[in-house]
Amino acid sequence: MSDDVDTLRQECLAALSAASNVRDWDAVRVGVLGKSGRLTELLKQLGRMDPDERKAAGVRLNKLRDELGKAIEARGREIETEALNARLAEERVDVSLPVALTERGGVHPVSRAIEEITAIFGAMGFSVAEGPEIETDWHNFSALNTPAHHAARTDQDTFYLPPSPGGPNVERVLRTQTSGVQIRTMLGQKPPIRIIAPGRTYRADHDATHSPMFHQCEGLVVDREITLGHLKGCLIEFLRVFFGKPNLPVRFRASYFPFTEPSMEVDIGWSRTTGEIGEGEDWLEVLGSGMVHPRVLANCGLDPSEWQGFAFGMGVERLAMLKNGIPDLRSFYESDVRWLRHYGVDPLAPAMLHEGF
């Protein structure tokens, strides 16, 4: 037993010293301390020895196990350190070399316009609300006081979907506006309400100024004693900040929407000759607005004699086209890298009011 212990110690230490990688080191560890290792086999022989002989042999074997265990652990750390140093030396980078130029992407004009709209209305105390893009006919039309014979409810203007499989027989549509978010907000929380609802919308139309899928941003304010003056002040301030024109002419023109009364189109000063915003003697319509119709409030369980509100809606692409001088809506979705490179915005330049737009 004494000879076996000395031989095992010498051979194990020699094998550890010769191990140059983790695989060799692990082979030594398993060969000595594993279930069928040499030291394990010696420990199994203790049960067949006389008590006095077993005691002496047990002391030597336990001492050897502790010694070899520490040696194996120490050698393992050395091998890991050597491997790490070799990798660092191999992967060393010369920081004095010039940086390889790589192209950086930009924020899409639509995404940037939504960021700016959100920042402006956020400064006014509005929060962002969201809703489903597959909407029920009631949320998209009926709750908004849209009559059954209205042109917007025809198949030529709206994408209709079959009812949900296994669900209630509810007519569904791809939302034509984000007004459904307004309805869901009024149904889900008590006034006062001050939200904007940016998101994708869908209509069966496609040309240079219309797309089957486009983005809208609608706003809703509901509180006591809300007046038309609040609506006008809010939208005038928004348009002047968005277009960066402190003296931008803004005109409110009577119109009709089923969900507002009175309803108004909003025009801004514009030059038909140069296309310059805020210049010239022409007017350009940019969004629709009005006071929330009493029937819409009632449909959402709000008493029109107690609560009043105003709402507005705008096309995000339209505002982005006017601000950036983009002539064709279809170019927004053609994925032309040259177009995106020209109109894209630096992703490290977030929309913040204190920096200006």
Side-chain angles (χ1 to χ4, degrees), residues 194-205:
R194 189 180 298 185
I195 63 158
I196 58 171
R200 286 186 291 267
T201 54
Y202 307 85
R203 294 182 189 176
D205 206 352

Side-chain angles (χ1 to χ4, degrees), residues 120-131:
I120 296 170
F121 283 112
M124 298 183 189
F126 285 73
S127 59
V128 176
E130 296 180 337

Side-chain angles (χ1 to χ4, degrees), residues 285-296:
E285 181 269 324
V286 290
L287 59 91
S289 64
M291 302 299 293
V292 179
H293 199 292
R295 290 180 184 172
V296 175

Side-chain angles (χ1 to χ4, degrees), residues 265-277:
E265 302 277 6
V266 182
D267 304 331
I268 59 174
W270 171 70
S271 172
R272 187 182 302 273
T273 304
T274 64
E276 183 70 19
I277 299 295

Side-chain angles (χ1 to χ4, degrees), residues 322-342:
L322 293 173
K323 185 169 184 176
N324 297 288
I326 301 173
D328 195 324
L329 176 66
R330 291 169 292 193
S331 58
F332 278 86
Y333 309 109
E334 291 176 349
S335 301
D336 188 326
V337 175
R338 298 166 300 174
W339 186 91
L340 294 171
R341 188 180 298 118
H342 178 76

Side-chain angles (χ1 to χ4, degrees), residues 81-103:
T81 302
E82 291 171 0
L84 178 60
N85 291 336
R87 181 180 176 186
L88 292 174
E90 182 181 353
E91 298 178 358
R92 181 174 298 168
V93 176
D94 186 353
V95 295
S96 65
L97 292 174
V99 177
L101 296 179
T102 57
E103 289 195 43

Side-chain angles (χ1 to χ4, degrees), residues 228 231-232 235-236 239 249-257 260-270 272 282-291 311 313 318:
L228 206 58
L231 167 62
K232 295 178 68 175
L235 294 182
I236 290 173
L239 291 170
V250 180
R251 180 178 73 174
F252 290 79
R253 177 169 40 85
S255 184
Y256 167 75
F257 303 112
T260 53
E261 179 61 36
S263 303
M264 295 173 294
E265 302 277 6
V266 182
D267 304 331
I268 59 174
W270 171 70
R272 187 182 302 273
D282 301 305
W283 294 97
L284 183 66
E285 181 269 324
V286 290
L287 59 91
S289 64
M291 302 299 293
R318 179 168 176 76

